[in-house]
Amino acid sequence: METEAADQRAEPADDVTLDDVVSLCKRRGFIFQSSEIYGGLGSTYDYGHYGVLLKNNVKDEWWRAMIGERDDIVALDSAILQHPRTWEASGHLEGFTDPLIDCRVCKMRFRADKLEDSSCGRKPSKRPGDTEACDLTDARQFNLMFETHMGAVRDDASAVYLRPETAQGIFVNFKNVLQFARRKPPFGIAQVGKSFRNEITPQNFIFRTREFEQMEMEFFVAPDEAERWFDYWLGERRRWYDELGIRPDHLRLRAHPTDELSHYSTATSDIEYLFPIGWSELEGIANRGDFDLRQHSEFSGEKLEYFDQQSGERYVPHVIEPAAGADRATLAFLVDAYDAEEVEGRQRTVLRLHPRLAPVKVAVLPLVSKEGMPERARALYEQLRRRLRAEYDEGGSIGKRYRRQDEIGTPWGVTVDGQTADDDTVTLRDRDSLEQVRVPIDGLADELVARLEAPWRSPKLEAG
Ligand code: GAP
């Protein structure tokens, strides 16, 4: 389970700041503060059109890696509200806590283990407890789960929790999947969905929020094979980020020392990304042993084990868990892609996203809004959008429209001009090289699909 102590190991990131990314996200409608017209709600965010498309592409790529390109993992979508006993068995009710201190004067709350990094709510702002005017309570354990009540009666018996991780929905369905998906170890169950944590100090845009999406997979294996599969999944998950174009020198693996391991884990390694705030966890890969299945067996009375009819062997599978955050991965892809450069004396901001992640793959633009160009461009757009996500744009100067597409990361621009009517060709502009080539409309969709499927490397690597 993630801890804040693991975050933000200082080391200078490259010159992209979080503010650069936040303001681009707002300017281009990727991500907004939630409930903005009411002044915003603490650390929750809403995704606009391009943000939805980008995050969907991140999740699609995860699904592709989990079930599209292999046969040993099945999908699951379990409910957010689960039986409260789930959280007793998992240890969350008792142990999913942070130490919390309140100030009776300024009414602010602080993490007891983070007082040095906190500012008190009174001016001039100091560290909590630094002046005599502060009146701090003793530390108490604060459970990070959001509690609500099910049904008409609001009492302890009706308490239920918004899930703090998607993983437990997988463990409680182990028996169903074993039976109905007819799987046997080694096999995995994958799930993407919302999780909720009442973080005391959420921060850094969508890096740490109270409502977020996780992409988790629990891989069930024979006990004596757990170590081998742990190493295997470390490699696979690192490769996923590499293939989606994250610069290799901005990724690293970090093994948790024993005193940092969660109660369920015998080994955990994080894939860390060099965010503008420093090296921080992007994804955790844990060897959870048989902790979860044993706990749920004990609490539910159901046998959660595997019986191999051929060998006559019966065992509780061990679990290897790659646990990623969809929002946090989206932030890493945005940061890694963000670039600013001067082209012909003008500033250009560009998102150099892997084409498969880009919200829009191709923009179709008439050079000017006359001489039949909009009609021809629109017809071409309608043809291309059957094969890949396209956008038609005829408003404003062509330079302005290119810049807009650069900022949302569209890898290719197709411009219909005066010559198109004569010879059925268009110009194809590449976002990264800015190269423009004349190509026939016939075969253009095939060409773009081929480019989309080709391996890709961040041009920021060449730039040094
Ligand atoms: N089932 C194990 C588990 O939940 P975790 O390290 O607590 O492990 C997995 O969470 C991933 O979920 C993290 O690596 C991170 O990407 C994401 N995540 C966790 N808490 C988050 C938060 N408050 N906001 C955004 N993403 C979060």
Side-chain angles (χ1 to χ4, degrees), residues 11-292:
E11 192 168 307
D14 56 357
D15 53 5
V16 179
T17 67
L18 210 51
D19 283 348
D20 291 333
V21 174
V22 173
S23 83
L24 173 74
C25 283
K26 189 161 179 170
R27 190 163 73 243
R28 292 300 175 195
F30 278 80
I31 301 166
F32 317 102
Q33 171 77 69
S34 148
S35 316
E36 208 168 44
I37 61 168
Y38 291 105
L41 177 69
S43 204
T44 50
Y45 289 90
D46 296 342
Y47 284 69
H49 182 68
Y50 296 122
V52 171
L53 297 181
L54 172 60
K55 188 157 66 138
N56 278 350
N57 290 342
V58 171
K59 291 184 282 183
D60 285 350
E61 286 299 326
W62 189 86
W63 279 121
R64 180 212 285 254
M66 289 295 158
I67 60 170
E69 293 174 347
R70 50 194 305 145
D71 306 318
D72 54 358
I73 299 179
V74 295
L76 179 78
D77 186 2
S78 70
I80 286 173
L81 297 176
Q82 289 168 223
H83 195 288
R85 292 275 282 167
T86 306
W87 309 112
E88 276 178 58
S90 68
H92 283 84
L93 254 184
E94 200 182 298
F96 193 48
T97 55
D98 277 342
L100 178 79
I101 282 180
D102 287 296
C103 176
R104 296 187 188 92
V105 180
C106 72
K107 309 288 180 216
M108 283 186 69
R109 286 187 157 172
F110 310 101
R111 288 256 316 240
D113 53 342
K114 291 263 156 191
L115 282 186
E116 270 118 77
D117 307 330
S118 313
S119 307
C120 131
R122 282 154 45 102
K123 300 256 180 279
S125 190
K126 295 222 164 57
R127 267 185 311 190
D130 266 8
T131 74
E132 281 184 7
C134 298
D135 185 6
L136 302 181
T137 63
D138 290 338
R140 66 189 162 87
Q141 289 301 324
F142 172 77
N143 197 298
L144 301 187
M145 283 198 294
F146 281 98
E147 185 180 322
T148 184
H149 294 267
M150 192 168 249
V153 182
R154 194 180 172 85
D155 60 12
D156 284 352
S158 68
V160 289
Y161 303 90
L162 302 189
R163 67 179 176 202
E165 63 174 17
T166 55
Q168 299 303 323
I170 296 179
F171 298 127
V172 300
N173 276 290
F174 172 78
K175 207 173 166 188
N176 282 337
V177 175
L178 207 58
Q179 192 175 348
F180 296 109
R182 292 183 296 122
R183 299 285 154 168
K184 56 181 199 171
F187 78 97
I189 307 178
Q191 157 148 256
V192 172
K194 288 253 169 145
S195 293
F196 304 82
R197 296 181 190 178
N198 198 0
E199 306 273 7
I200 302 172
T201 48
Q203 55 195 339
N204 297 320
F205 193 39
I206 54 170
F207 179 84
R208 181 187 304 287
T209 53
R210 293 192 169 109
E211 175 179 342
F212 54 97
E213 263 183 294
Q214 288 188 304
M215 309 185 288
E216 297 197 289
M217 194 274 291
E218 310 301 324
F219 202 72
F220 300 91
V221 301
D224 59 352
E225 291 189 357
E227 250 174 70
R228 179 170 75 77
W229 281 108
F230 178 70
D231 291 341
Y232 168 86
W233 278 109
L234 278 184
E236 279 300 287
R237 294 306 302 148
R238 162 92 208 223
R239 196 164 61 84
W240 187 77
Y241 293 102
D242 283 337
E243 281 182 8
L244 288 173
I246 295 261
R247 290 163 294 167
D249 60 348
H250 280 58
L251 277 181
R252 73 178 187 193
L253 285 177
R254 188 184 69 83
H256 285 205
T258 318
D259 63 352
E260 209 187 294
L261 290 177
S262 307
H263 58 283
Y264 52 74
S265 166
T266 52
T268 297
S269 282
D270 290 341
I271 298 178
E272 294 191 331
Y273 177 72
L274 186 51
F275 285 94
I277 52 175
W279 285 103
S280 310
E281 176 182 336
L282 191 50
E283 165 161 356
I285 293 116
N287 180 346
R288 299 181 71 118
D290 58 4
F291 175 83
D292 304 276

